[in-house]
Amino acid sequence: MRPRELARLATAVENGSPLPSDLPHGHGLIIGVTGPPGAGKSTLAGAIVNELRRRSKTVAVVAVDPTSKATGGAILGDRIRMQSHYEDRGVFIRSVATRGATGGLGRTSIGLAQLFRGAGFDFVIVETVGAGQDEIDIASSADATLVVLVPGMGDDVQAIKAGIMEIADIFVVNKADRLGADQMVNELEATLSLSPEHQRPPIFRTVATNGTGVAELVDVLAHLEPRLHVADTMKPDPGWLIDHIGIAVRSLDQSLPFYTDQMGMALLARETVDHEGVRVAMLSAGPSRIELLEPTTPDSTIARFLEKRGPGIHHIAMRVADLPAVVERLKTAGARLLGEPRQGAGGHLYVFVHPASSGGVLWEIIQDRGH
Ligand code: ZN
C-alpha cells in the first residue's frame, strides 16, 4: 500500500470509518507502549523503531498526542527520521490527537493499529498516555504491552502499579542510568514476587536516549507470538462446552484403532456400565472427549439404536455452568426431557433431551464439575 493511500485510510479511521472490509489480518505484532508522562515513552518508541529498522523490520507507529495534532507527532517523527533514513518507506508514523479522536482514543488507536498491521507492517507500536480505560482497551488488543517507568517516581509508582500490573507483559525501567534505578527494579521485583513465577513480566533497563538496553528488549519483542484476541476469535463462553460426543459402535475393538492409531487420539478409559448394558471407551479430544458406546445386551438402548439407525453419532453432551437453570428453561419452553436430572458415575448431574425437541439430536446436558 502506498503511503499516500495508507494516510488517507488512516484519516478515515480517525474520523470513525470502519476498516476496509478487504483489509487482510496481517502478520505483524502490535506492541502497546504505556506509562506515566515523563517516562520517555516517545524516545523509547523511537529507539525501538531504529533497532527494528536495523534488523530490516518494517514498523508503523501510532503516537498519541495529548495536546495538538501538529506538535507531538512531529516531535516523534523528527526523532525517528533524524536517526534513520529520511523518508524511510519502512516506517510509517501516525499521530492521534486526544481532542480530535472520535469514538474514543482507545478505539481509534486500535483501529489504526489494525489498519497498519493489515497493510503489512512487521510491527505496530501504539504509544499511549497515562493510565485509564484507553490503556486497558489498547493492552487487550495488543500482542504485548510495555509499561515504561523511570527511577525517582516515588509514591507515583504505588498509584500506577495498581492499574498497570495487570496489563504489563514487559516492564521497562527507562533512564536506567539515573540514581534510584536499582531501587525501582527492586520495588517492581518485590511486587511481582507475589504472582506465580511464570506469570511475572520481565523487567528491562534502558537508556532510550543513547539506545542502551534497547537491543535486548527488541530481542524479546522479535520472538513474541501473536496473541489470540477476543476480537479476532469467537469469545469462548466459560459456561458452555461440548463435553463429549457419544458414538454408537458395534464393536469397541474394531472401532478403536481408527481413533487411537489412525487419528492418534489418547484413550482415557474403558469401562462397562452393566445397568445400561453398555461398554464405553473415552478418548481425549482437547477440552472435549469422544465416547464410544458398544452394547453388551441386545435390549440395551445402544443395541436398539444400532438396530434402528446403524452405527454413528448417538448423542452430543453439553457441559453447562448451571444445569438446574437450563432444565428450568427447557421445561418452561415445553422441551421433552428423558426423565429428571440424575447422578452420573462421577457424581455429576446430567439429563437427556429427546431428539424430538432439538431437531433430531439426542442431547445430554451435564452439570459442569467446577460448579
Ligand atoms: Zn454421554
Side-chain angles (χ1 to χ4, degrees):
M1 206 181 291
R2 299 178 64 83
R4 185 178 286 266
E5 166 74 353
L6 193 54
R8 191 186 63 74
L9 287 171
T11 303
V13 168
E14 273 189 67
N15 292 334
S17 299
L19 292 168
S21 56
D22 57 349
L23 183 77
H25 182 276
H27 63 275
L29 291 167
I30 298 176
I31 310 290
V33 177
T34 190
K41 294 186 296 291
S42 295
T43 316
L44 181 67
I48 292 171
V49 170
N50 288 336
E51 179 62 24
L52 286 169
R53 290 303 292 143
R54 210 180 56 74
R55 301 180 188 199
S56 305
K57 300 290 182 192
T58 56
V59 198
V61 180
V62 181
V64 174
D65 177 355
T67 50
S68 78
K69 194 156 183 139
T71 55
I75 291 167
L76 175 64
D78 286 349
R79 194 175 289 131
I80 293 164
R81 278 189 207 103
M82 275 193 302
Q83 291 166 13
S84 56
H85 308 288
Y86 183 65
E87 289 203 336
D88 181 354
R89 287 284 291 269
V91 179
F92 190 93
I93 298 159
R94 187 73 182 198
S95 181
V96 189
T98 47
R99 273 181 295 180
T102 46
L105 188 61
R107 234 184 75 189
T108 304
S109 298
I110 293 164
L112 288 173
Q114 289 170 344
L115 173 68
F116 298 149
R117 181 180 59 189
F121 285 93
D122 298 321
F123 285 85
V124 182
I125 295 173
V126 185
E127 187 202 336
T128 64
V129 279
Q133 191 55 46
D134 285 334
E135 259 67 23
I136 294 165
D137 290 347
I138 292 168
S140 65
S141 61
D143 294 292
T145 298
L146 310 188
V147 172
V148 188
L149 302 169
V150 275
M153 289 173 57
D155 293 341
D156 291 350
V157 177
Q158 298 303 329
I160 292 157
K161 269 196 290 199
I164 58 173
M165 278 302 168
E166 299 79 24
I167 65 167
D169 297 298
I170 296 168
F171 281 105
V172 179
V173 176
N174 192 31
K175 306 186 185 180
D177 53 345
R178 282 194 186 176
L179 207 66
D182 288 340
Q183 193 195 331
M184 179 87 215
V185 171
N186 290 343
E187 226 180 287
L188 266 177
E189 278 174 346
T191 312
L192 295 172
S193 67
L194 302 172
S195 43
E197 202 165 347
H198 66 279
Q199 288 176 9
R200 287 176 213 166
I203 304 169
F204 286 86
R205 296 167 190 244
T206 59
V207 183
T209 46
N210 65 19
T212 303
V214 175
E216 289 82 354
L217 177 60
V218 170
D219 281 343
V220 170
L221 300 183
H223 290 98
L224 283 174
E225 291 290 325
R227 190 182 279 166
L228 276 179
H229 301 298
V230 170
D232 295 342
T233 55
M234 287 281 286
K235 189 175 181 176
D237 184 335
W240 295 79
L241 177 78
I242 300 284
D243 182 90
H244 64 266
I245 295 174
I247 299 171
V249 299
R250 294 196 204 283
S251 157
L252 283 184
D253 289 336
Q254 281 173 28
S255 304
L256 265 174
F258 168 77
Y259 294 93
T260 54
D261 301 348
Q262 297 176 34
M263 294 277 279
M265 295 165 76
L267 179 62
L268 297 171
R270 278 182 80 148
E271 62 174 315
T272 303
V273 188
D274 280 323
H275 66 273
E276 279 175 34
V278 70
R279 205 172 282 129
V280 179
M282 274 290 186
L283 295 135
S284 173
S288 308
R289 293 169 299 165
I290 299 294
E291 179 185 54
L292 300 183
L293 305 151
E294 175 199 72
T296 55
T297 56
D299 57 346
S300 67
T301 17
I302 294 300
R304 277 182 275 134
F305 178 87
L306 284 169
E307 212 177 285
K308 217 164 111 185
R309 308 271 293 263
I313 293 179
H314 174 260
H315 67 272
I316 303 177
M318 179 73 84
R319 204 190 298 170
V320 300
D322 189 352
L323 179 68
V326 173
V327 167
E328 187 61 41
R329 278 203 302 276
L330 287 168
K331 281 184 175 172
T332 307
R336 194 168 146 202
L337 302 182
L338 299 176
E340 288 294 312
R342 61 208 121 135
Q343 298 256 304
H348 60 278
L349 275 180
Y350 72 101
V351 71
F352 277 94
V353 183
H354 196 281
S357 297
S358 67
V361 174
L362 175 61
W363 278 97
E364 182 183 2
I365 317 281
I366 303 175
Q367 172 70 56
D368 192 295
R369 290 166 191 80
H371 293 78

